[in-house]
Amino acid sequence: MPLMAVFGKISDVYGRRQVFLWTTVFTIVLFLTFTVDSYERIGDWAIYATAPFMSSAYIHDIVAWSMAVDLVPDAIDQAKLFPLLTPLMNGTVASVSGDILAFFLLKLHLPNYTVVWGILTLVAAAVCVVIWAVLPETMEAPKKFGSVGEFVQDALPCSTGKGGGTGGYG
């Protein structure tokens, strides 16, 4: 959850589409780790190592809301979007569909779930391709990536995102 503030700031500086792509890649890495672990039992360390990636779904929500606000500037129209987007953004649809899928998969009594995680990995990869090919950037002039130090400074929630890093205090 602390990463939500960082990625919110990053999406404000580097663009919504970029953060959507990055977090989708994080999801792919996470699902790929689960795929390998379900087949090889690589150990809990791999799951713990990918724990920071688990917040990518929440980051998707924040970026999707930001994109919706960017695309629909009128506050009344944004309010009309709220009941439509809320089930999608807060994980309701994913949670319910995941529960239904789990119900049927558990009835199969599979020895492991490598195939399931592999399919989810491929779906996440397909989503990444769609985001890259179709989703427009909603920011007017996102900043281009410079150095790692500049990126870290821009990513801090208290920085201005203009390279100064003072957060307006200096």
Side-chain angles (χ1 to χ4, degrees), residues 9 153 156-170:
K9 178 69 175 171
Q153 190 173 17
L156 296 175
C158 61
S159 73
T160 62
K162 296 183 170 100
T166 61
Y169 299 108

Side-chain angles (χ1 to χ4, degrees), residues 106-117:
L106 291 174
K107 292 219 176 259
L108 296 176
H109 301 289
L110 299 173
N112 65 44
Y113 292 90
T114 305
V115 172
V116 175
W117 284 114

Side-chain angles (χ1 to χ4, degrees), residues 37-159:
D37 183 59
S38 99
Y39 183 73
E40 286 290 325
R41 300 285 179 216
I42 55 178
D44 291 342
W45 66 270
I47 305 303
Y48 295 137
T50 57
F53 297 139
M54 292 182 191
S55 64
S56 62
Y58 299 110
I59 297 165
H60 273 116
D61 293 352
I62 289 171
V63 173
W65 276 112
S66 299
M67 290 181 99
V69 169
D70 292 345
L71 293 171
V72 183
D74 182 53
I76 293 172
D77 290 337
Q78 290 173 3
K80 290 176 185 175
L81 276 177
F82 184 77
L84 299 173
L85 292 178
T86 299
L88 296 174
M89 300 304 168
N90 70 8
T92 304
V93 171
S95 178
V96 170
S97 60
D99 290 345
I100 292 169
L101 180 63
F103 174 79
F104 290 109
L105 287 174
L106 291 174
K107 292 219 176 259
L108 296 176
H109 301 289
L110 299 173
N112 65 44
Y113 292 90
T114 305
V115 172
V116 175
W117 284 114
I119 290 170
L120 290 173
T121 304
L122 293 174
V123 168
V127 167
C128 192
V129 169
V130 169
I131 290 169
W132 175 78
V134 177
L135 192 68
E137 176 57 65
T138 61
M139 299 281 297
E140 287 187 25
K143 183 176 180 178
K144 299 290 182 197
F145 182 78
S147 67
V148 173
E150 186 179 3
F151 176 78
V152 170
Q153 190 173 17
D154 288 338
L156 296 175
C158 61
S159 73

